[in-house]
Amino acid sequence: MSLDELKSAVPDYAKDLRLNLDLVIDNSALTQQQLWGTVLACAIASRSPRVLRELAPEARANLSAEAYTAAKSAAAVMALSNVFHRTRHLLSDPEYGKLRAGLRMNVIGDPGVERVDFELWSVAVSAINGCGACLDSHEQALRRAGADRETIQEAFKIASVVQAVGTTLDAEAVLAE
């Protein structure tokens, strides 16, 4: 299983997704760790078994064991954080924003990789999960750390393509039944 198999599985009506996979992975300006950590975290966040099966081995081959684990941790903690903070943001009662969260998110404080890399993975997963408050928070952390807008956009471009491929392939699997 591989990136090539994933691309070949994309139906012709969605060929732009195939082209965009090449664009965001083969032509990325991100470091290998940033790129493959973003790909892995987004594959997990996409909730697409096919996408995760195809991309995880490539990510494992391109990441250290620590970075592979940290990318999975980013997807896991953002699954928690994005729902929590998106809900606080969407509720019309501002008092919820004043309450203590009371949830453990220790990995954010010590992710085991460069802070910028973990923040990139977090912004990408937050894009998939649609949490505006988290997107703002992670984007601001990245900007404070010196990341430029182009680098940050690379992460959410990857998120958009991986999510779209997952949605398309999952739909095709259901329609083929």
Side-chain angles (χ1 to χ4, degrees), residues 115-116 119 135-147:
R115 166 80 41 217
V116 167
E119 291 289 344
L135 282 166
D136 282 343
S137 175
H138 296 291
E139 187 270 346
Q140 290 166 11
L142 284 161
R143 298 287 288 145
R144 282 192 306 273

Side-chain angles (χ1 to χ4, degrees), residues 6 12 46 88 148:
L6 186 64
D12 286 340
S46 78
R88 270 185 161 181
D148 58 32

Side-chain angles (χ1 to χ4, degrees), residues 83-100:
V83 170
F84 180 81
H85 290 291
R86 184 177 64 235
T87 302
R88 270 185 161 181
H89 175 75
L90 291 172
L91 287 170
S92 60
D93 184 349
E95 292 302 312
Y96 286 102
K98 298 176 184 175
L99 298 175
R100 185 178 167 293

Side-chain angles (χ1 to χ4, degrees), residues 51-110:
V51 167
L52 186 56
R53 263 194 312 274
E54 301 290 350
L55 294 177
E58 300 243 0
R60 187 181 295 278
N62 285 284
L63 292 169
S64 67
E66 295 81 13
Y68 188 84
T69 298
K72 292 190 311 181
S73 295
V77 75
M78 288 303 105
L80 168 82
S81 180
N82 294 160
V83 170
F84 180 81
H85 290 291
R86 184 177 64 235
T87 302
R88 270 185 161 181
H89 175 75
L90 291 172
L91 287 170
S92 60
D93 184 349
E95 292 302 312
Y96 286 102
K98 298 176 184 175
L99 298 175
R100 185 178 167 293
L103 297 171
R104 300 285 180 170
M105 296 183 238
N106 294 330
V107 71
I108 293 172
D110 184 17

Side-chain angles (χ1 to χ4, degrees), residues 14-34:
K15 68 182 176 186
D16 286 333
L17 301 182
R18 194 178 316 126
L19 296 170
N20 284 322
L21 271 172
D22 279 333
L23 179 70
V24 300
I25 293 176
D26 295 339
N27 298 310
S28 177
L30 300 178
T31 67
Q32 284 295 100
Q33 179 166 298
Q34 290 170 342

